[in-house]
Amino acid sequence: MSAPDENTLPTTSRIFPVNRYFDFQRRSLENIEEFWAKTAKENITWFKTWDKILDWNIPFAKWFVGGKLNVSYNCVDRHLDSPNRNKVAYYWEGEKGDTRTLSYQDLFSEVNKFASVLKELGVTQKKRVTIYLPMIPELPVAMLACARLGAAFTVVFSGFSSQALSDRMNDSESSVLITADGGYRRGKIIPLKTISDEALEDSPKVDHVIVYKRTNENVQMKQGRDLWWSDLVANTKNEFVKPEELESTHPLYLLYSSGTTGKPKAIVHGTGGYLTYVNATTQWVFDPKPSDVYWCAADIGWVTGHSYIVFGPLSLGMTSVLYEGVPDYPQNDRLWEMVERYGVNILYTSPTALRGMMRYGDEPPSRHDLHSLRILGSVGEPINPHVWLWYFHNIGGGRCPIVDTWWQTETGGILISASPRLGLVPLKPGSATFPLPGIEAEVLNDDGKPAKTNEKGYIVIKQPWPGMLQTLYHDEERYRQVYWSKFPGVYYAGDYCVRDDEGYFWLLGRADEVLKVSGHRLGTIEIEDALVSHPAVAESAVAGKADELKGERIVAFVIVKAGHKPTEELSRELREHVRKAIGPLATPEEIHFVKSLPKTRSGKIMRRVVKAVANGMQNVGDVTTLEDQASVEEVKRAVLELEEQVKSGD
Ligand code: WTA
């Protein structure tokens, strides 16, 4: 891929020259252990220093072995002795406009009281806690309280269904669930407690359910199991809970993420390495100044919120905006209005949100004074140059560099991005630019050889880094297989990538069965499993179709069982069924009833054929060379057959 025409290049490339970045990056790779040890020592407070920087037993990395620390201490307590004590940690705003301001002192008090509550309920280092809350301050408070006690937590996005919640509580063997009566989204109430009640019917190992009153809806409280957050906090005995001195490798959280299997798997992140990594990358990428107001407009239910709303910013004593709702409700300029009102200096959002905003034209942002903005960020999907330029000109006024940050739930933090702190390279709209310090990235082709300039290949990471996942919970074999077997000895991310003639990295989306629908990560096989669990479905194949707004939309091809009719009614029922199994975010937008699905001789679904047909056959040329185990003729025939069936069905 070539750089865009010089005339279309934003002025940043001329205003911000390349400086120290390349030098710093090169030196960091000469000895990554020393580099990360220095970073960890300078930025994190340790109760005890490590005995060993890195224990690298491929593919298992243990960082800062023997070191002792506590994430809650680093994010809260250590700021109390500094000028940050009365600094705002979060400006929270509800969708309806209600607000709360929490200083670091307030956060300390809330976290301690809630940690005390959890402790009284028997939560220890050996327990797991599931958190199913809307975007309210109690969400980071609950996460930090768990971290204080050393109980690994798992946050479940509030858009997931009861079945998805139950699966996660069971798989993580959680003994406590923290939820709310409800949460607001686009003016509607999501009945979180009712959904939880349904989930709990299949999760008998949960002993306690703590319920925060957010909407004051009438909810059922089961005696002996369900407890009100407010009562527990009012009655707790302790105002202070000593932060546990935890091993650096102690698990901090599990986060379920969709992959190439039916059920999402739990990605495990540790303590010392993870915190070092999110702390350092927050500094390099967002270059925060002490008085800055920072807003990462993601949801804490996804990894972006974990790393860049909670642990990165809090460990640095930053001031963040925390917002409950969607960016275009109740007015389509809500996001820009809030940027102006809070004087936001650093804004981190997603291409899907930006595409949503662009729909309303240039006028809504132009109504607001956005001069406070200094740095703009993007995450979650490739950002199209057209969207990049809109963000750059209409939001950043041509002044603010855009950091296009490439990373994954697995990587814990940003791996590839420009770095305003270390020296900004000239930006190219659509390229995440170069790896951050300590990250050795390369693009390999199908033969495992370094891809040539402009040759599409797979992005890999060649040395371990402190933010990387420790493993998949209870499934070391799968961890090895998914990330470390395609190219032995290096981390395989599952994304396509190209490097241009200046070495810039252009991340081109997933090379596997993972979808990004409005920035939400979903697996095609996960959705297929949900479809076939319906009694009328014999088989199904799901693919992503390019969508201007959502990035990808879900298209399903379905074979019904004998005795069932492929009707509009069934189509509606199947959509509802998937909503129930996973959540509204996974609902297929198109369902095509077919009599057969394209398969190879060994019976594997020809995934690229399915994808090509879902996308209106635009890339059949590509497909013929890409489909495994099938000849060009077979693939062509399969495409035509499936296409015919779709046409005759419509
Ligand atoms: C995609 C989100 C291009 C990529 C932090 C990755 C991106 C997946 C970018 C991980 C970007 C994320 N440019 N693609 N800047 N950022 N992706 O686990 O396909 O929800 O593999 O983590 O998002 O999604 P996840």
Side-chain angles (χ1 to χ4, degrees), residues 592-626:
H592 300 289
F593 292 108
V594 293
K595 294 213 166 50
S596 66
L597 287 168
K599 291 205 180 136
T600 60
R601 264 158 293 170
S602 62
K604 270 177 58 184
I605 288 180
M606 295 180 175
R607 297 235 156 243
R608 290 188 172 87
V609 168
V610 175
K611 190 161 184 185
V613 174
N615 282 279
M617 290 180 61
Q618 282 137 1
N619 24 13
V620 181
D622 254 9
V623 173
T624 47
T625 53
L626 284 170

Side-chain angles (χ1 to χ4, degrees), residues 21 24-46 49-50 52-56 61-65 69 248 271-285 308 411-416 419 422 435-441 461-468:
Y21 160 75
F24 195 81
Q25 153 70 326
R26 188 178 35 77
R27 274 186 285 123
S28 73
L29 294 182
E30 281 165 10
N31 188 335
I32 54 157
E33 293 196 25
E34 265 175 31
F35 173 74
W36 288 118
K38 186 165 179 282
T39 309
K41 208 167 264 169
E42 279 173 9
N43 295 290
I44 303 301
T45 307
W46 299 82
T49 316
W50 50 87
K52 193 165 191 220
I53 302 168
L54 172 64
D55 176 353
W56 181 218
K62 291 188 177 145
W63 285 92
F64 312 120
V65 184
L69 77 161
S248 170
T271 299
Y274 173 81
L275 190 65
T276 300
Y277 196 71
V278 295
N279 176 292
T281 51
T282 305
Q283 298 183 60
W284 295 333
V285 174
Y308 297 109
T411 69
I414 301 164
L415 297 189
I416 301 188
S419 169
L422 299 174
L436 290 174
I439 300 301
E440 190 177 354
I461 312 298
K462 296 174 73 179
Q463 298 202 61
W465 67 100
M468 68 188 263

